[in-house]
């Protein structure tokens, strides 16, 4: 019956355990054995004593035994070792009580397991098994060496004290998804932080695979590795790339993008405070303040206070941090006060209310200039940052100096252009029989400077000359061209005198500007006003691609004065131009403006003109400076705007 079986089979019987039978599989595994010999003679091998003792135990107790063994056909050759598992069971034979021996060769399986264990040990991974009942066994140890704590043998919340608070729920949710929650389980993979023996947190990566038997999960086999170095490198590269990509054009907007990079990756909350002084080192006895311009907080914390009123006097403690140019961390007692003078008072109260555990100040340095400092906090159950986290925070903020430097350079150029522009935009002269007012507004702080301008002066005979225009471009070049064209138009108008028609003056300006390559494109409106009878003023004007003048009569609807616009300047010099005329009566208001007041990306220009006319009519009784202030609010501040208004006195 046993001759053809795969298992090795032998039968022994009698008080001496004489060998009655072996099959071919037994011979292949243990070598030929002589039938009829007692057991001790049939198995004289050097390692046969263990097998003989098992036979004696079965014979004495009448209970079966199962044993794992190893056999070397050549004791001096380790590679020839064969591994097997065998059982010895009591049976009855024709010669009396006997023992049935069944053996299976497990050499291949044993060697595969040995190779796997060696491989896992070589890659420094912890290997563990979790049973279906939640019991956990560490196969390749490493947990206690990493954490200083003994292995926890159950899959329950007893692991939570070792896991970073921010990762506990994510880890639990990931495990529930992998377990299938009633569906077919899948591979569980996660990266999370574990508290190391020195109190710091290190990132571990784990991968757990279900082992199925009869369609059910019998156990989970998992490998866990310390990936702190690789994780830190990837995080550093990602954060530095994000902060280098900041392209905002104002310091508040740029730093608002920077703090979004830091929170919540490196800190729970962060605010940026800029110094009121540009000079460095700070003057010893001058009152220096720091103003909060940007902040961010992680989800789950109270909303930060508004930016308004967020200033603090720079104290000796802050001066020392700025002078040292290195981060300094202040541990905070739970619910306790924040050291005074580090951040604005309202932010101190916020830190207390949000359960801050630490406050770290990091100087903000661009080149040799200390702009201010960042104040970051850990809150709630987030641990105080260690040296590695603080150094990465410092490095990311230091790396932000590159986009911030671009913002500073842009702001310096913008201030220069604004200074140049304002130097040309002089106050309008007093006018007998009428009133003049002008107003210029640059674009919003994040925008670029434009080439808008206005001008007003009187000729020797009392003729009032008005001009307004816009040079294409939004940079220092446009501002410079604006100054040149305004000056040239003023000179040409003054030299031409009261008899020079506006179209002739603009034609000369076009010829000179094109010849000198002053600007690639510009619009302008040039006008003269002369006193007439009964308090009237005679208006003559010519326009080069500029929006038409708006007339707000003393009574009635506001309207744009008719007359076609000639081509802009610097595009086709030599073309004929036209002068238009109109009589202004007492109480009438003439408004000249640039296109930034009526153009928006979301509305057509004629809609902007209707809004300007309606608002001007409503404000016809306002003093001219107040009227221009109201009208300037019609702009969306994406572009700079210039306005020039003349009003005829009533009853003159």
């Amino acid at each position: 019956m046993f001759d053809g079986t795969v298992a090795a089979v032998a039968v022994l019987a009698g008080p001496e355990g004489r060998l009655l039978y072996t099959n071919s599989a037994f011979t292949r595994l243990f070598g030929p054995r002589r039938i009829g010999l007692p057991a001790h003679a049939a198995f004289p091998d050097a390692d046969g004593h263990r097998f003989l003792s098992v036979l004696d135990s079965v014979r004495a107790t009448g209970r079966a035994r199962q044993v794992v063994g190893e056999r070397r056909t050549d004791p001096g050759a380790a590679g020839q070792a064969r591994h097997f598992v065998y059982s010895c069971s009591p049976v009855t034979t024709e010669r009396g009580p006997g023992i049935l021996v069944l053996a299976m060769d497990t050499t291949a399986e044993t060697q595969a397991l040995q190779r796997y264990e060696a491989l896992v040990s070589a890659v420094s991974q912890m290997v563990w098994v979790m049973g279906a009942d939640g019991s956990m066994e560490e196969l390749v140890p490493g947990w206690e060496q990493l954490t200083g704590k003994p292995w926890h043998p159950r899959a329950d919340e007893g692991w939570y004290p070792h896991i970073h608070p921010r990762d506990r729920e994510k880890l639990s949710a990931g495990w529930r998804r992998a377990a299938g929650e009633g569906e077919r389980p899948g591979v569980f993979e996660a990266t999370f932080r574990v508290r190391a023996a020195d109190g710091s947190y290190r990132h571990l990566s784990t991968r757990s695979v279900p082992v199925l038997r009869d369609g059910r999960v019998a156990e989970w086999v998992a490998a866990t590795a310390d990936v702190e170095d690789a994780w830190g490198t990837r995080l550093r590269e990602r954060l530095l790339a994000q902060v280098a990509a900041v392209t905002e054009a104002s310091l508040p907007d740029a730093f608002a993008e920077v703090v979004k990079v830091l929170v919540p990756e490196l800190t729970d909350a962060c605010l940026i405070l800029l110094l009121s002084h540009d000079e460095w080192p700070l003057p010893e006895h001058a009152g220096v303040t720091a103003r909060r311009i940007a902040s961010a907080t992680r989800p789950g914390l109270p909303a930060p206070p508004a930016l308004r009123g967020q200033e603090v006097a720079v104290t000796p403690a802050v001066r020392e941090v700025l002078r040292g140019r290195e981060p300094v961390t202040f541990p905070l007692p739970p619910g306790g006060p924040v050291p005074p003078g580090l951040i604005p008072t309202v932010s101190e109260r916020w830190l207390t209310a949000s359960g801050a555990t630490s406050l770290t100040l990091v100087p903000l340095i661009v080149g040799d200039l200390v702009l201010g400092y960042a104040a970051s906090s850990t809150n709630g159950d987030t641990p105080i940052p260690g040296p590695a986290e603080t150094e990465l925070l410092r490095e990311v903020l230091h790396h932000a100096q590159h986009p911030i430097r671009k913002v500073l350079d842009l702001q310096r150029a913008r201030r220069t252009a604004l200074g140049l522009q304002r130097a040309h935009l002089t106050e309008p002269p007093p006018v007998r029989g009428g009133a003049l007012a002008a107003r210029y507004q640059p674009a919003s702080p994040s925008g670029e400077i434009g080439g808008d301008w206005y001008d007003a002066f009187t000729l020797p005979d009392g003729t009032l000359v008005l001009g307004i225009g816009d040079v294409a471009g939004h940079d220092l070049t446009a501002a410079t061209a604006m100054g040149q064209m305004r000056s040239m138009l003023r000179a040409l108008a003054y030299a031409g005198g009261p008899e020079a028609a506006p179209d002739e003056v603009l034609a000369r300006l076009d010829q000179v500007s094109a010849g000198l390559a002053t600007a690639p494109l510009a619009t302008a409106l040039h006008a003269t006003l002369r006193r007439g009878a009964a308090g009237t003023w005679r208006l003559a004007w010519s326009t080069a691609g500029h929006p038409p003048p708006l007339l707000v009569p003393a009574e009635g609807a506001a309207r744009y004065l008719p007359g076609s616009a000639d081509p802009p300047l610097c595009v086709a010099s030599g073309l004929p131009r036209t002068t238009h005329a109109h009589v202004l009566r007492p109480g009438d208001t003439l408004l000249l403006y640039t296109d930034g007041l009526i153009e928006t990306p979301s509305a057509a220009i004629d809609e902007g003109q209707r809004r300007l006319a309606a608002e001007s009519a409503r404000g016809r009784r306002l003093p001219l400076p107040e009227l221009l202030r109201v009208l300037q609010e019609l702009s969306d501040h994406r572009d700079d705007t210039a306005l020039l208004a003349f009003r005829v006195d009533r009853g003159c």
Side-chain angles (χ1 to χ4, degrees):
M1 181 176 64
F2 295 126
D3 287 348
T5 63
V6 176
V9 180
V11 179
L12 300 98
E16 296 180 305
R18 290 183 179 275
L19 185 62
L20 302 182
Y21 171 84
T22 61
N23 65 358
S24 57
F26 191 93
T27 301
R28 287 195 301 272
L29 183 59
F30 297 105
R33 305 291 167 168
R34 185 176 173 182
I35 301 299
L37 292 179
H40 67 275
F43 299 96
D45 312 65
D47 55 357
H49 63 280
R50 187 182 180 194
F51 174 61
L52 296 175
S53 66
V54 172
L55 294 177
D56 291 340
S57 174
V58 173
R59 190 179 298 111
T61 63
R63 290 194 297 269
R65 290 279 305 278
Q66 182 172 306
V67 182
V68 175
E70 175 184 316
R71 182 171 187 277
R72 300 179 187 275
T73 54
D74 182 354
Q80 295 183 9
R82 307 295 295 177
H83 300 270
F84 56 90
V85 58
Y86 65 92
S87 65
C88 299
S89 305
V91 295
T92 300
T93 72
E94 62 182 6
R95 298 189 183 183
I99 298 174
L100 174 65
V101 179
L102 294 175
M104 291 292 294
D105 190 334
T106 61
T107 302
E109 292 81 356
T110 301
Q111 289 178 347
L113 179 61
Q114 290 173 341
R115 290 167 183 158
Y116 174 74
E117 291 175 345
L119 176 63
V120 168
S121 300
V123 296
S124 302
Q125 288 190 338
M126 293 174 274
V127 179
W128 48 275
V129 174
M130 187 186 79
D133 60 353
S135 61
M136 299 182 69
E137 178 185 359
E138 195 176 22
L139 298 183
V140 178
W143 175 262
E144 187 166 353
Q145 181 181 357
L146 172 65
T147 65
K149 304 294 182 181
W151 176 261
H152 185 67
R154 298 292 304 173
D156 54 27
E157 293 185 359
W159 289 99
Y160 275 15
H162 309 292
I163 308 299
H164 194 289
R166 299 278 83 79
D167 296 340
R168 292 170 187 170
E169 179 55 34
K170 178 179 67 176
L171 198 61
S172 297
W175 177 257
R176 289 193 298 269
R177 286 193 299 271
E181 296 181 340
E183 301 176 2
R184 183 176 179 83
V187 175
F188 169 65
E189 294 182 281
T191 299
F192 56 97
R193 288 163 287 183
V194 168
R195 186 186 291 274
D198 62 0
S200 66
Y201 279 91
R202 297 187 67 82
H203 283 78
L204 302 185
S205 178
T206 190
R207 178 181 173 89
S208 182
V209 180
V211 178
L212 304 180
R213 297 192 182 101
D214 298 328
R216 296 185 177 183
V217 176
E219 59 187 9
W220 293 78
V221 180
T224 302
D226 186 331
V227 295
E228 178 64 28
D229 293 341
W231 181 89
T233 299
R234 288 195 299 270
L235 176 65
R236 175 183 176 275
E237 291 174 349
R238 177 164 56 84
L239 295 183
L240 293 182
Q242 289 176 350
V243 80
V246 171
T247 58
E248 298 300 329
S250 74
L251 282 180
D253 290 340
F255 275 119
E257 293 301 312
V258 170
V259 293
K260 290 178 184 177
V261 175
L262 301 175
V263 178
E265 291 282 13
L266 293 182
T267 186
D268 289 334
C270 184
L271 57 141
I272 302 293
L273 298 108
L274 294 189
L275 300 176
S276 58
H277 278 55
D278 289 338
E279 57 184 296
W280 185 261
L282 294 177
E284 289 294 336
H285 304 292
V288 180
T289 61
R291 178 174 58 91
R292 174 183 157 204
I293 64 166
S295 67
T297 60
R298 69 166 170 82
L301 292 180
L307 291 176
R308 295 187 301 274
Q310 290 275 346
E311 290 188 354
V312 61
V314 175
T315 61
V318 174
R319 286 177 181 265
E320 189 62 30
V321 173
L322 299 180
R323 190 177 297 116
R325 301 195 175 199
E326 291 293 334
V328 176
T329 297
F330 299 85
L332 305 178
V338 178
L342 301 181
I343 56 177
T345 303
V346 290
S347 294
E348 290 179 9
R349 292 196 293 266
W350 181 87
L351 285 179
T352 302
S354 62
T357 56
S358 72
L359 179 66
T360 301
L361 303 187
V362 185
L364 301 173
I365 303 170
V366 177
D368 292 329
L369 177 63
V370 179
L371 292 180
Y373 57 98
S376 68
S377 68
T378 53
N379 300 69
D381 51 7
T382 302
I384 296 176
E389 292 91 347
T390 302
E391 173 56 25
L392 182 55
L393 178 65
R394 184 206 65 78
E395 185 178 4
V396 172
L397 285 169
H398 177 72
H399 201 70
Q401 70 170 306
H402 301 297
I404 297 301
R405 184 191 295 276
K406 295 179 182 177
V407 174
L408 291 174
D409 291 343
L410 178 62
Q411 289 191 344
R412 291 191 187 100
R414 189 170 184 272
R415 284 196 296 267
T416 300
L418 276 172
L420 176 63
Q421 198 157 20
R422 292 189 186 280
H424 287 89
L425 303 180
T426 55
E427 286 293 323
V431 179
R432 187 168 61 89
L436 264 178
R439 187 176 178 91
Y440 170 78
Q441 177 66 48
S444 60
S446 61
E448 297 171 317
I449 191 68
D452 289 16
W453 59 271
Y454 65 82
D455 194 13
F457 62 94
T458 55
L459 297 177
D461 71 338
T463 298
L464 178 62
V465 179
L466 304 181
I468 195 165
D470 185 3
V471 175
H474 294 84
D475 50 22
L476 185 58
T477 301
T480 302
M482 173 277 300
Q484 293 173 338
M485 296 196 75
R486 178 183 179 276
S487 298
M488 287 191 296
L489 181 57
R490 171 177 276 226
L492 290 171
Y494 196 92
E499 301 306 322
D503 64 303
E504 296 174 357
V505 175
L506 281 184
R508 294 192 190 103
L509 176 64
D510 194 11
Q511 185 179 18
V512 173
S513 298
L516 297 177
T518 305
L521 177 69
T523 67
L525 187 151
H526 177 60
T528 60
L529 282 159
R530 296 183 184 180
R531 287 174 63 94
T536 61
W537 288 73
R538 185 177 184 278
L539 167 68
W541 81 94
S542 180
T543 178
H546 203 79
L550 176 63
L551 175 66
V552 185
E555 302 294 340
R559 65 183 187 277
Y560 293 94
L561 294 179
S564 59
D566 296 329
L569 304 174
C570 307
V571 294
S573 60
L575 290 178
R577 296 188 176 276
T578 308
T579 293
H580 309 281
H582 186 79
V583 175
L584 301 182
R585 305 187 182 282
D588 287 357
T589 300
L590 177 71
L591 180 68
L592 309 181
Y593 54 93
T594 55
D595 57 6
L597 192 66
I598 56 175
E599 285 187 339
T600 64
S602 59
I605 190 170
D606 55 349
E607 180 180 339
Q609 288 181 312
R610 286 193 296 269
R611 290 170 55 233
L612 176 60
E615 193 64 38
S616 299
R618 281 193 291 269
R620 75 176 83 229
R621 305 297 180 188
L622 295 174
L624 283 185
E626 179 64 14
L627 174 62
L628 297 189
R629 185 194 66 78
V630 171
L631 296 180
Q632 207 149 44
E633 293 305 314
L634 297 175
S635 169
D636 63 0
H637 305 294
R638 294 174 179 265
D639 196 2
D640 53 345
T641 56
L643 294 96
L644 183 61
F646 172 74
R647 178 178 290 165
V648 181
D649 286 348
R650 294 176 180 270
C652 295

